[in-house]
Amino acid sequence: VTEEVLVLQAARARKEAREAAERGDYEDGARLLRSSLTFLATAAAPNSAMIDELTAEQEEYLRSWDQGT
């Protein structure tokens, strides 16, 4: 899978997760992000700086939700 496709899929997951959070559905938002993280981990080329950055961003969203912020 090309990085461009992964970037688009990660962006879509982040958007849908943010929308879920805005509705107060943090559980669904977290599920979407975790699914995206799993996909990134299995489909991305090793040592991809762009994918590493996307993964870090999505993990930060999850941490902030887990902390209630």
Side-chain angles (χ1 to χ4, degrees), residues 1-61:
V1 179
T2 65
E3 278 193 356
E4 292 84 8
V5 171
L6 293 175
V7 168
L8 290 173
Q9 289 178 333
R12 184 180 323 124
R14 189 170 50 243
K15 178 181 180 282
E16 291 175 1
R18 189 174 28 240
E19 289 170 353
E22 289 172 357
R23 293 189 309 270
D25 192 351
Y26 292 97
E27 186 175 319
D28 189 44
R31 181 191 57 75
L32 288 163
L33 288 178
R34 285 189 183 97
S35 176
S36 177
L37 285 168
T38 299
F39 184 71
L40 285 172
T42 58
N47 302 318
S48 167
M50 183 181 296
I51 299 305
D52 290 346
E53 183 178 327
L54 285 171
T55 298
E57 285 178 13
Q58 291 189 342
E59 288 172 343
E60 182 59 33
Y61 272 109

